Amino acid sequence: MHSRLKEAAIVMFAMVGAAATVPASGFDRAAAIARASEYDGVIGRDQWGVPRVHGSRDADAAFALGYAFAEDDFALVQEAMMAGNMHRLVTRDAAEAQTAYLLQLLRVPEEAEGAWPQLAPATRAYLDAYADGVNLYAARHPEEVARPDLFPLTGMDILRNAIFQSPLFYGMSRTLSQLVAPGGERSLEAGQSLQVKAGLCAMPLLCAHRAELGSNAFAVAPAASSDGATRLIANSHQPLSGILAWLEATVSSDEGLNFTGGAFPGSPMLLLGANADFGWAATVNRPDLIDTYKLTINPDNPAQYRLDGEWRDFDQSEALIRVREGPGVTELKRPLRWSVHGPVFDTDEGAVALRWASMDEALGIEDTYRLMKARSVAEGRAIVAQGRIPSTYRVMADREGNIARYYLARMPERVEGPDWKGMLPGDDSSLVWTGFEPFETLPHVENPPEGWVTEANSSPFQQMGSASDPKASGVPGRFGIETDLTNRARRATALMKAAGKTDRDALWAIKMDTAYDPASLAGLLKASVLASPWASEPDLAEAVALLKAWDLYMTADNRSAGIALLTFQPIGAAIFQGQTPPTLRASLEAARDFLMRHHGRLDVEWSKLNQLHRGEKRVPLAGGPDVLRAVSSVIDEPTGTLRAIVGDGLVILVEWDEDGRQRVETVSPYGAATGRPGSPHHDDQMEMFAAGLTKRVPMDLAERNAMLVRQYRPGEE
């Protein structure tokens, strides 16, 4: 243990035992290998190395998928699985100790224990099988096992991970940071947990609010297609690498499962994509699903808080955290407190309780499994209408030409009156909601007369630009549904309305659009520069002239895009993260200095700046942050370029022609073997991705098998 961590641990935690030898892993490699005989799954690899797995049962396919993902990036699978299971591991640093504490404070282990028996047997079998596939890889490759105490994995471990991750997609990471690290230097419980200088963002999963995440989705019905086809584009934006980056796969079985799409490394369910009859895209929405309550503590008894005029006892227990110290471990305990609202944090504002929409609902993972096997928009609607998936938009299409956009939110049934986005009084039990609003009260769009829907992380009340949009007046303000528009939403709506009927190429061109709307932040910032009193100063004249000439496009050959992006992105990123942005002048001067330092000129072609990096390989990219060809980058000083880190990840285009024949196309930023630099599939899709090209994925099993380069059983490659 580092000295600072050790000192913090001694001060912050009650010691409950002397250092002891690190317990041996309970992983029985021989048993994991023997268990593989229970499964009948096969891994196929196409020319791009993408796993196309098949099994006699769904569980057999899940077993093969777990093994295949471990083959492609075992380090990443382990890292992903650690997040929701840190409480049972020996923690190695302060960040891991914080996560172990947080899991127990949020009662993730208890929630998983209660939810597991409620899952259908087929779902439990699927989760266990995926875990067994990863276990087999660990048993066959012990030299790659970074955390022996992580194994053997179980389906319960996967469920815990899903429970922990779920609220991060509707704002939990931002809420936690505001509560416990408002200045970025606070610890998890303001002196009650191990200190982490970097705050919560020492753990990647807890930094979701700091990334410029977004997504695009399009669905077009035959009435809006020039060739009578139905089309769906799933274009979810995530980090291009790490535990929240997309992995592509096809999962099929003799039980009817046949789905192509994307998953995160720790997920056995494909989270977007299509089967032969039905597909969906998922994008992040921002409903208000988290509430905070300021508690009044009894001055004579800190173990009590006031509720409805009476003092109530906290529900108290202890978190057990095991910390590595040399060859042994130290077991530490910290108090945990819950009020009727939820877990209690000590903050600068005093004791604050937290309540969130999915704190008692862990079965959304099962609905994702069911969506993989649904056969129509109607079936998909019936699944999501149960309200077990707590958030996200779902844009759906099916072979029969039905399209829809559903606004998913496990919306608390709150009383009217309070400011639900602010800090609530914790002494009024009427504010502690227990029920949820019906699915029908949310703003959905089904088979609109325009024949198309789009979604780009924006207000559901303005995305059609017509009477087909749900009315904001029909949705209670207490729902906290977003009302702003991203640039991507503005452009998608304008382009779809202007296009009239589209074919495959026309729709793809809209998805690959690189422009900013004049009403976007970039457009407004450009206007602000040109109107500024310093715009005519000699040392800024060339930069301002380039900005004046900028047509708001981020095309590869654009010579004004570089100075524009370098000026405006730091401002947009700071606003997105809730931080104070730099001044326009300071940002423009920094952009100018960077370009002169690295390139000796300001009018550098955008493609020479904006690039996709993988090791020593660099490929030029068009696009930029919050354009439909989404690319968010960071400065790479050694190369003088911008390195893409977030944006277009796995892109999936699905179409059914007027006769119902299906075609599926996909592309990924890098390649399938994300964790294997020596593999030809580590970076073999980069040029294709940059050029806006795709690869075809046959959905018919026989045709797909005919295109495979190799097939093998897990452990027998």
Side-chain angles (χ1 to χ4, degrees), residues 68-103:
F69 278 173
E71 281 188 293
D72 291 337
D73 201 330
F74 187 44
L76 201 60
V77 171
Q78 291 180 85
E79 183 181 352
M81 290 306 307
M82 282 164 43
N85 293 285
M86 192 62 70
H87 66 290
R88 67 175 182 80
L89 305 181
V90 176
T91 63
R92 299 184 177 187
D93 57 32
E96 291 188 359
Q98 276 195 321
T99 304
Y101 178 83
L102 184 61
L103 284 163

mmCIF file of all heavy atoms in Angstrom, residues 68-103:
data_model
loop_
_atom_site.group_PDB
_atom_site.id
_atom_site.type_symbol
_atom_site.label_atom_id
_atom_site.label_comp_id
_atom_site.label_asym_id
_atom_site.label_seq_id
_atom_site.Cartn_x
_atom_site.Cartn_y
_atom_site.Cartn_z
ATOM 1 N N ALA A 68 -14.920 -15.681 -26.412
ATOM 2 C CA ALA A 68 -14.436 -14.898 -27.551
ATOM 3 C C ALA A 68 -14.034 -13.489 -27.130
ATOM 4 O O ALA A 68 -12.989 -12.978 -27.551
ATOM 5 C CB ALA A 68 -15.519 -14.839 -28.625
ATOM 6 N N PHE A 69 -14.842 -12.830 -26.294
ATOM 7 C CA PHE A 69 -14.483 -11.493 -25.830
ATOM 8 C C PHE A 69 -13.213 -11.539 -24.989
ATOM 9 O O PHE A 69 -12.389 -10.615 -25.045
ATOM 10 C CB PHE A 69 -15.633 -10.884 -25.032
ATOM 11 C CG PHE A 69 -16.719 -10.261 -25.870
ATOM 12 C CD1 PHE A 69 -17.885 -9.797 -25.276
ATOM 13 C CD2 PHE A 69 -16.598 -10.135 -27.245
ATOM 14 C CE1 PHE A 69 -18.893 -9.215 -26.037
ATOM 15 C CE2 PHE A 69 -17.596 -9.554 -28.018
ATOM 16 C CZ PHE A 69 -18.749 -9.091 -27.412
ATOM 17 N N ALA A 70 -13.038 -12.597 -24.189
ATOM 18 C CA ALA A 70 -11.807 -12.733 -23.416
ATOM 19 C C ALA A 70 -10.611 -12.933 -24.338
ATOM 20 O O ALA A 70 -9.518 -12.408 -24.077
ATOM 21 C CB ALA A 70 -11.926 -13.891 -22.434
ATOM 22 N N GLU A 71 -10.792 -13.673 -25.416
ATOM 23 C CA GLU A 71 -9.718 -13.814 -26.400
ATOM 24 C C GLU A 71 -9.296 -12.465 -26.960
ATOM 25 O O GLU A 71 -8.110 -12.196 -27.139
ATOM 26 C CB GLU A 71 -10.188 -14.686 -27.570
ATOM 27 C CG GLU A 71 -10.185 -16.169 -27.333
ATOM 28 C CD GLU A 71 -10.484 -16.899 -28.631
ATOM 29 O OE1 GLU A 71 -11.622 -16.771 -29.142
ATOM 30 O OE2 GLU A 71 -9.583 -17.581 -29.139
ATOM 31 N N ASP A 72 -10.283 -11.624 -27.247
ATOM 32 C CA ASP A 72 -9.995 -10.361 -27.916
ATOM 33 C C ASP A 72 -9.419 -9.320 -26.976
ATOM 34 O O ASP A 72 -8.612 -8.482 -27.404
ATOM 35 C CB ASP A 72 -11.265 -9.815 -28.565
ATOM 36 C CG ASP A 72 -11.713 -10.649 -29.754
ATOM 37 O OD1 ASP A 72 -10.864 -11.347 -30.346
ATOM 38 O OD2 ASP A 72 -12.915 -10.623 -30.075
ATOM 39 N N ASP A 73 -9.820 -9.333 -25.710
ATOM 40 C CA ASP A 73 -9.296 -8.331 -24.774
ATOM 41 C C ASP A 73 -9.581 -8.780 -23.343
ATOM 42 O O ASP A 73 -10.481 -8.266 -22.678
ATOM 43 C CB ASP A 73 -9.926 -6.966 -25.034
ATOM 44 C CG ASP A 73 -9.077 -5.825 -24.482
ATOM 45 O OD1 ASP A 73 -8.381 -6.046 -23.471
ATOM 46 O OD2 ASP A 73 -9.102 -4.731 -25.069
ATOM 47 N N PHE A 74 -8.811 -9.746 -22.880
ATOM 48 C CA PHE A 74 -9.055 -10.306 -21.556
ATOM 49 C C PHE A 74 -8.808 -9.272 -20.462
ATOM 50 O O PHE A 74 -9.535 -9.221 -19.460
ATOM 51 C CB PHE A 74 -8.165 -11.526 -21.338
ATOM 52 C CG PHE A 74 -8.456 -12.285 -20.072
ATOM 53 C CD1 PHE A 74 -9.751 -12.562 -19.689
ATOM 54 C CD2 PHE A 74 -7.416 -12.741 -19.264
ATOM 55 C CE1 PHE A 74 -10.021 -13.270 -18.518
ATOM 56 C CE2 PHE A 74 -7.671 -13.460 -18.107
ATOM 57 C CZ PHE A 74 -8.970 -13.715 -17.722
ATOM 58 N N ALA A 75 -7.806 -8.418 -20.650
ATOM 59 C CA ALA A 75 -7.534 -7.394 -19.642
ATOM 60 C C ALA A 75 -8.737 -6.470 -19.477
ATOM 61 O O ALA A 75 -9.104 -6.088 -18.360
ATOM 62 C CB ALA A 75 -6.300 -6.581 -20.032
ATOM 63 N N LEU A 76 -9.379 -6.133 -20.577
ATOM 64 C CA LEU A 76 -10.524 -5.239 -20.524
ATOM 65 C C LEU A 76 -11.733 -5.924 -19.898
ATOM 66 O O LEU A 76 -12.473 -5.310 -19.121
ATOM 67 C CB LEU A 76 -10.865 -4.760 -21.933
ATOM 68 C CG LEU A 76 -11.683 -3.473 -22.050
ATOM 69 C CD1 LEU A 76 -10.931 -2.314 -21.400
ATOM 70 C CD2 LEU A 76 -11.961 -3.170 -23.512
ATOM 71 N N VAL A 77 -11.947 -7.198 -20.215
ATOM 72 C CA VAL A 77 -13.055 -7.935 -19.603
ATOM 73 C C VAL A 77 -12.864 -7.989 -18.088
ATOM 74 O O VAL A 77 -13.816 -7.780 -17.324
ATOM 75 C CB VAL A 77 -13.160 -9.350 -20.196
ATOM 76 C CG1 VAL A 77 -14.157 -10.199 -19.408
ATOM 77 C CG2 VAL A 77 -13.577 -9.290 -21.666
ATOM 78 N N GLN A 78 -11.652 -8.248 -17.650
ATOM 79 C CA GLN A 78 -11.397 -8.283 -16.206
ATOM 80 C C GLN A 78 -11.655 -6.922 -15.575
ATOM 81 O O GLN A 78 -12.295 -6.823 -14.522
ATOM 82 C CB GLN A 78 -9.946 -8.705 -15.943
ATOM 83 C CG GLN A 78 -9.645 -10.156 -16.285
ATOM 84 C CD GLN A 78 -8.192 -10.511 -15.997
ATOM 85 O OE1 GLN A 78 -7.841 -10.850 -14.876
ATOM 86 N NE2 GLN A 78 -7.347 -10.431 -17.014
ATOM 87 N N GLU A 79 -11.159 -5.863 -16.217
ATOM 88 C CA GLU A 79 -11.358 -4.521 -15.675
ATOM 89 C C GLU A 79 -12.843 -4.190 -15.581
ATOM 90 O O GLU A 79 -13.308 -3.613 -14.594
ATOM 91 C CB GLU A 79 -10.651 -3.492 -16.557
ATOM 92 C CG GLU A 79 -10.749 -2.075 -16.032
ATOM 93 C CD GLU A 79 -10.071 -1.056 -16.933
ATOM 94 O OE1 GLU A 79 -9.399 -1.452 -17.898
ATOM 95 O OE2 GLU A 79 -10.242 0.152 -16.665
ATOM 96 N N ALA A 80 -13.594 -4.551 -16.630
ATOM 97 C CA ALA A 80 -15.025 -4.278 -16.621
ATOM 98 C C ALA A 80 -15.729 -5.027 -15.499
ATOM 99 O O ALA A 80 -16.608 -4.477 -14.816
ATOM 100 C CB ALA A 80 -15.626 -4.654 -17.970
ATOM 101 N N MET A 81 -15.369 -6.278 -15.285
ATOM 102 C CA MET A 81 -16.039 -7.091 -14.279
ATOM 103 C C MET A 81 -15.664 -6.687 -12.854
ATOM 104 O O MET A 81 -16.412 -6.941 -11.904
ATOM 105 C CB MET A 81 -15.729 -8.566 -14.500
ATOM 106 C CG MET A 81 -16.380 -9.161 -15.734
ATOM 107 S SD MET A 81 -18.173 -8.922 -15.789
ATOM 108 C CE MET A 81 -18.660 -9.563 -14.209
ATOM 109 N N MET A 82 -14.519 -6.049 -12.687
ATOM 110 C CA MET A 82 -14.118 -5.615 -11.360
ATOM 111 C C MET A 82 -15.030 -4.530 -10.804
ATOM 112 O O MET A 82 -15.264 -4.453 -9.598
ATOM 113 C CB MET A 82 -12.672 -5.090 -11.391
ATOM 114 C CG MET A 82 -11.615 -6.154 -11.426
ATOM 115 S SD MET A 82 -10.005 -5.483 -11.922
ATOM 116 C CE MET A 82 -9.922 -3.968 -10.985
ATOM 117 N N ALA A 83 -15.544 -3.681 -11.701
ATOM 118 C CA ALA A 83 -16.240 -2.471 -11.253
ATOM 119 C C ALA A 83 -17.372 -2.781 -10.281
ATOM 120 O O ALA A 83 -17.457 -2.174 -9.209
ATOM 121 C CB ALA A 83 -16.773 -1.712 -12.467
ATOM 122 N N GLY A 84 -18.248 -3.705 -10.636
ATOM 123 C CA GLY A 84 -19.383 -4.004 -9.780
ATOM 124 C C GLY A 84 -19.119 -5.065 -8.740
ATOM 125 O O GLY A 84 -20.044 -5.474 -8.019
ATOM 126 N N ASN A 85 -17.873 -5.508 -8.638
ATOM 127 C CA ASN A 85 -17.545 -6.603 -7.715
ATOM 128 C C ASN A 85 -16.354 -6.281 -6.824
ATOM 129 O O ASN A 85 -15.800 -7.178 -6.186
ATOM 130 C CB ASN A 85 -17.266 -7.875 -8.521
ATOM 131 C CG ASN A 85 -18.518 -8.389 -9.212
ATOM 132 O OD1 ASN A 85 -19.390 -8.960 -8.575
ATOM 133 N ND2 ASN A 85 -18.624 -8.168 -10.518
ATOM 134 N N MET A 86 -15.989 -5.007 -6.771
ATOM 135 C CA MET A 86 -14.812 -4.620 -5.996
ATOM 136 C C MET A 86 -14.984 -4.900 -4.509
ATOM 137 O O MET A 86 -13.999 -5.124 -3.794
ATOM 138 C CB MET A 86 -14.521 -3.138 -6.232
ATOM 139 C CG MET A 86 -13.167 -2.693 -5.707
ATOM 140 S SD MET A 86 -11.792 -3.537 -6.525
ATOM 141 C CE MET A 86 -11.884 -2.788 -8.157
ATOM 142 N N HIS A 87 -16.208 -4.940 -4.032
ATOM 143 C CA HIS A 87 -16.443 -5.163 -2.608
ATOM 144 C C HIS A 87 -15.968 -6.535 -2.158
ATOM 145 O O HIS A 87 -15.699 -6.744 -0.975
ATOM 146 C CB HIS A 87 -17.933 -5.029 -2.297
ATOM 147 C CG HIS A 87 -18.762 -6.094 -2.929
ATOM 148 N ND1 HIS A 87 -18.985 -6.163 -4.291
ATOM 149 C CD2 HIS A 87 -19.411 -7.167 -2.395
ATOM 150 C CE1 HIS A 87 -19.727 -7.213 -4.560
ATOM 151 N NE2 HIS A 87 -20.015 -7.840 -3.441
ATOM 152 N N ARG A 88 -15.854 -7.501 -3.077
ATOM 153 C CA ARG A 88 -15.416 -8.842 -2.687
ATOM 154 C C ARG A 88 -13.950 -9.094 -3.020
ATOM 155 O O ARG A 88 -13.458 -10.209 -2.800
ATOM 156 C CB ARG A 88 -16.302 -9.902 -3.341
ATOM 157 C CG ARG A 88 -16.205 -10.019 -4.850
ATOM 158 C CD ARG A 88 -17.048 -11.183 -5.359
ATOM 159 N NE ARG A 88 -16.971 -11.401 -6.796
ATOM 160 C CZ ARG A 88 -15.979 -12.029 -7.421
ATOM 161 N NH1 ARG A 88 -14.953 -12.506 -6.721
ATOM 162 N NH2 ARG A 88 -16.002 -12.191 -8.734
ATOM 163 N N LEU A 89 -13.246 -8.064 -3.535
ATOM 164 C CA LEU A 89 -11.846 -8.221 -3.907
ATOM 165 C C LEU A 89 -10.942 -7.573 -2.873
ATOM 166 O O LEU A 89 -11.372 -6.775 -2.042
ATOM 167 C CB LEU A 89 -11.586 -7.581 -5.278
ATOM 168 C CG LEU A 89 -12.462 -8.050 -6.446
ATOM 169 C CD1 LEU A 89 -12.046 -7.341 -7.726
ATOM 170 C CD2 LEU A 89 -12.395 -9.558 -6.607
ATOM 171 N N VAL A 90 -9.672 -7.915 -2.942
ATOM 172 C CA VAL A 90 -8.660 -7.217 -2.159
ATOM 173 C C VAL A 90 -8.284 -5.965 -2.935
ATOM 174 O O VAL A 90 -7.723 -6.048 -4.028
ATOM 175 C CB VAL A 90 -7.421 -8.100 -1.922
ATOM 176 C CG1 VAL A 90 -6.343 -7.313 -1.178
ATOM 177 C CG2 VAL A 90 -7.799 -9.350 -1.138
ATOM 178 N N THR A 91 -8.606 -4.803 -2.396
ATOM 179 C CA THR A 91 -8.366 -3.557 -3.114
ATOM 180 C C THR A 91 -6.882 -3.214 -3.089
ATOM 181 O O THR A 91 -6.179 -3.488 -2.120
ATOM 182 C CB THR A 91 -9.187 -2.408 -2.524
ATOM 183 O OG1 THR A 91 -8.787 -2.176 -1.178
ATOM 184 C CG2 THR A 91 -10.671 -2.747 -2.557
ATOM 185 N N ARG A 92 -6.437 -2.584 -4.176
ATOM 186 C CA ARG A 92 -5.005 -2.329 -4.346
ATOM 187 C C ARG A 92 -4.634 -0.861 -4.284
ATOM 188 O O ARG A 92 -3.460 -0.522 -4.265
ATOM 189 C CB ARG A 92 -4.544 -2.921 -5.677
ATOM 190 C CG ARG A 92 -4.746 -4.432 -5.756
ATOM 191 C CD ARG A 92 -4.192 -4.999 -7.042
ATOM 192 N NE ARG A 92 -4.330 -6.457 -7.083
ATOM 193 C CZ ARG A 92 -3.818 -7.228 -8.034
ATOM 194 N NH1 ARG A 92 -3.144 -6.686 -9.038
ATOM 195 N NH2 ARG A 92 -3.987 -8.541 -7.989
ATOM 196 N N ASP A 93 -5.618 0.018 -4.324
ATOM 197 C CA ASP A 93 -5.320 1.445 -4.204
ATOM 198 C C ASP A 93 -6.551 2.150 -3.670
ATOM 199 O O ASP A 93 -7.598 1.541 -3.435
ATOM 200 C CB ASP A 93 -4.849 2.043 -5.537
ATOM 201 C CG ASP A 93 -5.854 1.846 -6.667
ATOM 202 O OD1 ASP A 93 -7.071 1.832 -6.397
ATOM 203 O OD2 ASP A 93 -5.420 1.697 -7.821
ATOM 204 N N ALA A 94 -6.435 3.458 -3.504
ATOM 205 C CA ALA A 94 -7.519 4.222 -2.900
ATOM 206 C C ALA A 94 -8.772 4.223 -3.768
ATOM 207 O O ALA A 94 -9.889 4.188 -3.260
ATOM 208 C CB ALA A 94 -7.049 5.657 -2.654
ATOM 209 N N ALA A 95 -8.587 4.275 -5.086
ATOM 210 C CA ALA A 95 -9.745 4.290 -5.981
ATOM 211 C C ALA A 95 -10.549 3.002 -5.841
ATOM 212 O O ALA A 95 -11.780 3.019 -5.804
ATOM 213 C CB ALA A 95 -9.285 4.486 -7.422
ATOM 214 N N GLU A 96 -9.870 1.880 -5.790
ATOM 215 C CA GLU A 96 -10.566 0.607 -5.634
ATOM 216 C C GLU A 96 -11.253 0.522 -4.279
ATOM 217 O O GLU A 96 -12.366 0.001 -4.169
ATOM 218 C CB GLU A 96 -9.580 -0.550 -5.809
ATOM 219 C CG GLU A 96 -9.077 -0.689 -7.228
ATOM 220 C CD GLU A 96 -8.247 -1.942 -7.434
ATOM 221 O OE1 GLU A 96 -8.035 -2.707 -6.451
ATOM 222 O OE2 GLU A 96 -7.805 -2.162 -8.568
ATOM 223 N N ALA A 97 -10.601 1.042 -3.236
ATOM 224 C CA ALA A 97 -11.223 1.031 -1.914
ATOM 225 C C ALA A 97 -12.486 1.884 -1.910
ATOM 226 O O ALA A 97 -13.499 1.520 -1.299
ATOM 227 C CB ALA A 97 -10.232 1.525 -0.867
ATOM 228 N N GLN A 98 -12.430 3.034 -2.596
ATOM 229 C CA GLN A 98 -13.625 3.866 -2.700
ATOM 230 C C GLN A 98 -14.760 3.115 -3.381
ATOM 231 O O GLN A 98 -15.912 3.193 -2.963
ATOM 232 C CB GLN A 98 -13.312 5.121 -3.517
ATOM 233 C CG GLN A 98 -12.699 6.239 -2.723
ATOM 234 C CD GLN A 98 -12.772 7.539 -3.498
ATOM 235 O OE1 GLN A 98 -12.577 7.561 -4.706
ATOM 236 N NE2 GLN A 98 -13.038 8.618 -2.808
ATOM 237 N N THR A 99 -14.434 2.426 -4.459
ATOM 238 C CA THR A 99 -15.463 1.705 -5.192
ATOM 239 C C THR A 99 -16.061 0.595 -4.333
ATOM 240 O O THR A 99 -17.275 0.371 -4.340
ATOM 241 C CB THR A 99 -14.887 1.124 -6.490
ATOM 242 O OG1 THR A 99 -14.316 2.175 -7.263
ATOM 243 C CG2 THR A 99 -15.960 0.439 -7.310
ATOM 244 N N ALA A 100 -15.209 -0.119 -3.594
ATOM 245 C CA ALA A 100 -15.701 -1.166 -2.701
ATOM 246 C C ALA A 100 -16.661 -0.589 -1.664
ATOM 247 O O ALA A 100 -17.703 -1.187 -1.347
ATOM 248 C CB ALA A 100 -14.525 -1.864 -2.013
ATOM 249 N N TYR A 101 -16.314 0.576 -1.148
ATOM 250 C CA TYR A 101 -17.182 1.235 -0.174
ATOM 251 C C TYR A 101 -18.499 1.665 -0.823
ATOM 252 O O TYR A 101 -19.593 1.451 -0.281
ATOM 253 C CB TYR A 101 -16.459 2.450 0.412
ATOM 254 C CG TYR A 101 -17.292 3.228 1.405
ATOM 255 C CD1 TYR A 101 -17.378 2.824 2.728
ATOM 256 C CD2 TYR A 101 -17.998 4.354 1.005
ATOM 257 C CE1 TYR A 101 -18.157 3.526 3.646
ATOM 258 C CE2 TYR A 101 -18.780 5.063 1.912
ATOM 259 C CZ TYR A 101 -18.850 4.648 3.222
ATOM 260 O OH TYR A 101 -19.621 5.337 4.108
ATOM 261 N N LEU A 102 -18.398 2.270 -2.010
ATOM 262 C CA LEU A 102 -19.577 2.783 -2.689
ATOM 263 C C LEU A 102 -20.555 1.661 -3.030
ATOM 264 O O LEU A 102 -21.776 1.818 -2.891
ATOM 265 C CB LEU A 102 -19.152 3.529 -3.951
ATOM 266 C CG LEU A 102 -20.258 4.223 -4.743
ATOM 267 C CD1 LEU A 102 -20.933 5.288 -3.894
ATOM 268 C CD2 LEU A 102 -19.691 4.836 -6.022
ATOM 269 N N LEU A 103 -20.041 0.538 -3.487
ATOM 270 C CA LEU A 103 -20.918 -0.595 -3.799
ATOM 271 C C LEU A 103 -21.748 -1.008 -2.590
ATOM 272 O O LEU A 103 -22.942 -1.309 -2.708
ATOM 273 C CB LEU A 103 -20.078 -1.783 -4.280
ATOM 274 C CG LEU A 103 -19.537 -1.711 -5.703
ATOM 275 C CD1 LEU A 103 -18.411 -2.713 -5.890
ATOM 276 C CD2 LEU A 103 -20.647 -1.989 -6.706
#
